[in-house]
Amino acid sequence: MVKEDLRLLFLHEFKLGNNAAQTTANINKASGEGTTSERTVRRWFKKFCGGDESLKDEDGRGWSFNLLNKDLRAIVEQTPRQSVREISQQLGVSISTVLDHRK
């Protein structure tokens, strides 16, 4: 799913009055586990609460590819038997992001 599509879903769920946990569950149920994280939804809801309903990301937001690889490598070295789900929760990214960076 394209980021802009997800953001539109976040806004839709926000306007329906759903909280971040409900929104995350709804999107992951419909589009597959790991499609989004509650942390991401909370960030967008905070933006919407401030009155900014634009769906464009702020400049400089998101993970640097090298930073994520470094953090992921450190986690795997410390506890190599951790599941992808646990790692994604620890880093605050989706499961698919962890899988993409483990390749």
Side-chain angles (χ1 to χ4, degrees), residues 18-34:
N18 291 331
N19 65 32
Q22 293 167 321
T23 298
T24 303
N26 289 343
I27 291 171
N28 287 339
K29 183 177 181 182
S31 300
E33 192 62 37

Side-chain angles (χ1 to χ4, degrees), residues 3 8 15 35 40 58 61 65 73 93-94 98-99:
K3 285 183 181 183
L8 184 58
K15 287 186 172 193
T35 300
T40 298
E58 300 168 13
R61 285 293 311 171
F65 186 81
R73 192 173 318 122
V93 299
S94 69
V98 173
L99 291 172

Side-chain angles (χ1 to χ4, degrees), residues 69-82:
N69 279 342
K70 181 180 175 185
D71 290 343
L72 179 59
R73 192 173 318 122
I75 289 170
V76 171
E77 286 174 359
Q78 288 173 350
T79 50
R81 295 195 186 276
Q82 244 184 346

Side-chain angles (χ1 to χ4, degrees), residues 33-36 84-86 88 93-100:
E33 192 62 37
T35 300
T36 192
V84 172
R85 178 183 303 271
E86 291 168 331
S88 73
V93 299
S94 69
I95 291 172
S96 59
T97 298
V98 173
L99 291 172
D100 288 346

